[in-house]
Structure formats: structure tokens, C-alpha cells
Amino acid sequence: MELQDRYIRFDWAVKRLLRHKANFGVLEGFLTVLIGDDIHIVEILESEGNQQTEEDKFNRVDIKALNSKNEIVIIEIQNTRELYYLERILYGVAKAITEHISLGETYYKVKKIYSISILYFDIGYGTDYLYHGQNIFKGVHTGDFLQVSTREKDAIVPRMPSEIYPEYFLIRVNEFNKVAMTPLEEWIEYLKTGIIRPDTTAPGLGEAREKLKYYSMTPQERHAYDEHLSALMIQNDVLDSAKLEGKIEGRMEGREEGRMEGREEGRAEGREEGIKEGVVRNARRMKEKGFSTEDIMEITGLTFEEVSQL
């Protein structure tokens, strides 16, 4: 592979490069292809605002952007498995909604949210690499879709709930095993492999070829990026080992109990405990190597308190 053909992983680009206005074209292209609408980003918003108490959870997302339609787009990239992930993205969407409406304002000010999760782990069972969900109200007996009348600028206008309620996209990167034929498939191919075709016409990927070149970074930036990739490899190795250990422990516990219920519970508990222990061991190794607390939290999913106690 020639030097100029190596490109930065999207998760790193999102955290370091794509927040700059000069690089909005890459994100706009990705969102346009995914959502199916022409997306223009106005600004990148603060993603951890309005924490009321020390116990209140942060809305940790990789990018929160405001588009030209006054809608909010949340992008989160998750490299390793996390328990209660669906609950987490639901919380993130709810927090984003409440952060951008003040007391005394009308509910008309509520912003539509697009939640996009790029997942590099197996979240469950399914045969597709892209899943989309949104709120609709369908007649139980008639099958028709409810259209709501609302007052907008002193006029009564009909609106579909989908124009207001959040939309969720789950991209299961590891499930993509096709020859990329469409712009969306080219984007998923890049997310999975880091490969961008030289003749690509997919929106945003042309800009990515120019702006996300590995060898365009400074030596210090390349070193930090390589450390990031190394940490991910270590994390995946630890998780794979932990899963295997968990399965073995689960089988042993299941055999001892001698019941199907005991076997199933033993396997589940063993897997979860094994994975958690593996994550903690890996985080401790990263801390010993000098990784920052923020980077350890991003890579492992551990909280600030958990990392601090290592």
C-alpha cells in the first residue's frame, strides 16, 4: 500500500479533525448518505453540558452537531461492548433535547435529534449491518399513520410525528461483508477497513481522501494515533480472552448446578464478570503506559471514578 493510500480511522478523525469547520464536508457527506437528506452542519455543539450534580451522568458523545435545519445530530463510535447500550443512547438523546430548551420556552422549540451509533461490537442478533428506528403512531385497527395538527407561526399545519421525534441509526460495522456498490456501502467499507477508493464519488469520501491521510499528520500526531490503534488491539485481545474465560467459567458453574437454568445464568454471569475484569486489567496497563484518564475512559468505557481507583 502506498503511503498516500493510508487513511485515518473515522473514530480518531471524529475526535481530532472533523470538529473543525474546514473539515465539515466529510461529516456532511457521511450524514447526507446515511440520512438520505442534504445535510449542512452549522456548528459543533458542546456534548457534556448542563450537568446538574456530581451524580448526574454526562452525555458522552463523540460529536454533537447542529445542522442548517436547526436539528441536532449525535454521532457516537463504540469500539467495545457496553452493557445497557440502548439505554445509554436513549439517555443521550433525552439529555440533548432538554439541554437545548429552556424553562419558559414553548415546546415548539424542541429540536429533532438524529442519533447515530457506529458499533464495532456485536450488539445482538440480526442479519443487516444498518438498522433504523423512529417513532410512528399507527392505527391499531385501520393501519393508517397519525398526522398531528400543530400551530406554527400563527397557522395550523399538519406534521408527522417523525418530523419531531428522534431517529436512531445503529451501524453494525463488523456485519458488513459486501462488495461496496452504493455510496452508503462505500462509507461502511471505509468505517470497517479504512479503505477509500481513488475513484469514489460518494459524498464526503473525496474530501476524506484529501484530509484524512495518515502521512499528512505530524510525527507527534502519528505517534498518538498509533498508540490509539495499539490500545484498541490490546483491548480487543483482552476482551476476547475474557469472553473465552467467561464461557469456560459459565460451563463449569452450569455443570455443577446440573440444571439448564443454572447453566444459562452461570454462562451469562461468567461472561460479564470475565469481560469486566479484562477491561479493568487493560485499563490498568494503559495507565501504567501513561495514557491519559480521558483516553482510558474513551477506549474502555470505564467511569472517571473507576479509572482513578486503578
Side-chain angles (χ1 to χ4, degrees), residues 169-218:
F169 293 86
L170 299 180
I171 303 175
R172 303 168 72 217
V173 176
N174 295 334
E175 298 301 315
F176 180 77
N177 294 298
K178 301 176 61 177
V179 175
M181 302 294 291
T182 67
L184 176 59
E185 290 171 350
E186 286 191 47
W187 261 104
I188 305 301
E189 181 181 57
Y190 163 57
L191 294 178
K192 182 175 182 177
T193 66
I195 295 173
I196 305 176
R197 300 179 182 182
D199 60 345
T200 183
T201 59
L205 282 182
E207 291 91 333
R209 277 183 58 84
E210 296 300 318
K211 297 180 179 180
L212 303 186
K213 292 178 179 177
Y214 173 79
Y215 290 99
S216 293
M217 293 193 293
T218 66

Side-chain angles (χ1 to χ4, degrees), residues 125-142:
Y125 298 102
T127 58
D128 208 332
Y129 62 87
L130 175 63
Y131 286 85
H132 173 235
Q134 63 182 142
N135 297 76
I136 58 173
F137 294 94
K138 184 177 180 180
V140 174
H141 304 100
T142 62

Side-chain angles (χ1 to χ4, degrees), residues 11-282:
D11 59 339
W12 180 268
V14 161
K15 297 176 188 299
R16 301 295 196 277
L17 303 175
L18 300 185
R19 298 175 180 275
H20 305 305
K21 193 168 185 176
N23 298 331
F24 280 1
V26 177
L27 271 179
E28 290 172 344
F30 170 64
L31 296 174
T32 295
V33 168
L34 179 65
I35 296 174
D37 195 10
D38 194 17
I39 301 294
H40 295 284
I41 296 174
V42 176
E43 63 176 317
I44 302 299
L45 303 170
E46 171 59 48
S47 62
E48 295 186 356
N50 293 359
Q51 187 187 27
Q52 300 299 321
T53 68
E54 290 183 359
E55 289 75 28
D56 189 20
K57 290 186 177 296
F58 287 115
N59 177 17
R60 288 193 178 93
V61 298
D62 291 309
I63 275 192
K64 183 164 68 171
L66 182 71
N67 68 20
S68 57
K69 296 181 180 179
N70 210 30
E71 301 166 331
I72 293 175
V73 180
I74 293 173
I75 300 176
E76 180 170 359
I77 302 174
Q78 188 74 11
N79 286 298
T80 54
R81 185 172 183 269
E82 178 173 328
L83 293 175
Y84 312 118
Y85 188 75
L86 292 182
E87 291 85 347
R88 171 176 165 177
I89 62 175
L90 174 62
Y91 178 86
V93 167
K95 185 125 182 160
I97 292 172
T98 57
E99 281 178 348
H100 295 279
I101 185 170
S102 302
L103 288 175
E105 290 186 320
T106 66
Y107 290 117
Y108 172 68
K109 297 289 187 179
V110 169
K111 298 183 186 300
K112 179 179 174 67
I113 308 289
Y114 293 94
S115 173
I116 299 167
S117 297
I118 302 173
L119 308 176
Y120 288 87
F121 66 93
D122 185 9
I123 194 172
Y125 298 102
T127 58
D128 208 332
Y129 62 87
L130 175 63
Y131 286 85
H132 173 235
Q134 63 182 142
N135 297 76
I136 58 173
F137 294 94
K138 184 177 180 180
V140 174
H141 304 100
T142 62
D144 68 319
F145 293 96
L146 180 65
Q147 186 171 259
V148 179
S149 296
T150 183
R151 180 176 294 277
E152 191 171 309
K153 297 181 180 178
D154 297 325
I156 301 298
V157 296
R159 296 182 72 180
M160 299 299 292
S162 60
E163 297 178 65
I164 307 166
Y165 281 80
E167 294 187 39
Y168 301 86
F169 293 86
L170 299 180
I171 303 175
R172 303 168 72 217
V173 176
N174 295 334
E175 298 301 315
F176 180 77
N177 294 298
K178 301 176 61 177
V179 175
M181 302 294 291
T182 67
L184 176 59
E185 290 171 350
E186 286 191 47
W187 261 104
I188 305 301
E189 181 181 57
Y190 163 57
L191 294 178
K192 182 175 182 177
T193 66
I195 295 173
I196 305 176
R197 300 179 182 182
D199 60 345
T200 183
T201 59
L205 282 182
E207 291 91 333
R209 277 183 58 84
E210 296 300 318
K211 297 180 179 180
L212 303 186
K213 292 178 179 177
Y214 173 79
Y215 290 99
S216 293
M217 293 193 293
T218 66
Q220 293 80 7
E221 290 171 334
R222 288 202 300 271
H223 175 73
Y225 177 69
D226 290 340
E227 286 291 308
H228 171 69
L229 295 185
S230 176
L232 287 179
M233 291 177 64
I234 293 171
Q235 177 76 354
N236 289 331
D237 288 344
V238 169
L239 287 176
D240 288 341
S241 299
K243 288 177 183 177
L244 179 60
E245 292 171 4
K247 288 179 181 178
I248 294 172
E249 291 175 10
R251 291 193 187 100
M252 293 177 63
E253 292 181 14
R255 291 193 190 102
E256 290 173 1
E257 293 183 13
R259 299 177 185 175
M260 179 63 73
E261 180 179 352
R263 284 197 292 270
E264 292 301 322
E265 291 180 358
R267 290 190 183 107
E269 292 175 4
R271 281 195 296 270
E272 298 305 336
E273 290 177 5
I275 291 172
K276 182 68 173 180
E277 290 174 3
V279 170
V280 171
R281 285 198 300 270
N282 188 42

